[in-house]
Amino acid sequence: MGLFSGLLGNAGAVELADVEAELAAFLADGEQAEQAFKVLRDIIVFTNKRLILIDKQGITGSKKEYMSVPYRSIVRFSAETKGHFDLESELLIWLSSTNDPIRKTFSKDSNIVAVQKALATYACR
């Protein structure tokens, strides 16, 4: 995925070797990354045990938040595609312990469909 594409909020697949190297200290025994998508500077990682949302913060992106979401905590999710006047698509994920959903914004519908499909695969087991 190119820099310009990333700045526009396009999601693209990420090399799993790169993700596993970054997450080595965070993964549980026997856990492995199976799919990963990059949105802007953030990364959405699907492991065989949970969903990990990596939020890179600050100008340099050196400060990071790693939000871990067990698949069993996902109550529902939706993918809203863009329309004629909307320039962005949005993925919403509701967790059992919160009222407000986690929001991720995309600029291409095809990319949000790939992420939604992965979410359906892992959360609906």
Side-chain angles (χ1 to χ4, degrees), residues 9-13 35-39 43-46 51 53 77-79 90-93 104-106 108-123:
N10 297 340
Q35 290 188 48
F37 299 90
K38 188 169 189 168
V39 180
I43 302 174
I44 301 170
V45 183
F46 295 91
L51 174 66
L53 303 169
F77 53 92
S78 71
E90 193 169 46
L91 179 70
L92 301 160
I93 305 170
K104 293 292 177 185
T105 303
F106 301 78
K108 286 193 176 180
D109 287 344
S110 60
N111 298 326
I112 195 170
V113 170
V115 174
Q116 188 276 339
K117 183 176 181 178
L119 187 56
T121 300
Y122 291 97

Side-chain angles (χ1 to χ4, degrees), residues 25-99:
F26 294 94
L27 296 177
D29 292 339
E31 184 176 20
Q32 58 189 16
E34 295 185 346
Q35 290 188 48
F37 299 90
K38 188 169 189 168
V39 180
L40 203 51
R41 297 188 309 171
D42 299 343
I43 302 174
I44 301 170
V45 183
F46 295 91
T47 75
N48 58 329
K49 298 181 182 266
R50 61 187 160 152
L51 174 66
I52 301 173
L53 303 169
I54 303 171
D55 179 15
K56 295 184 179 183
Q57 303 170 359
I59 295 171
T60 63
S62 59
K63 181 178 179 181
K64 300 174 189 171
E65 176 188 11
Y66 296 86
M67 178 186 282
S68 178
V69 179
Y71 294 125
R72 69 180 180 276
S73 296
I74 298 173
V75 177
R76 68 183 189 271
F77 53 92
S78 71
E80 179 181 295
T81 59
K82 63 184 178 181
H84 290 292
F85 300 108
D86 296 327
L87 299 176
E88 301 174 332
S89 301
E90 193 169 46
L91 179 70
L92 301 160
I93 305 170
W94 285 268
L95 305 179
S96 59
S97 61
T98 63
N99 290 329

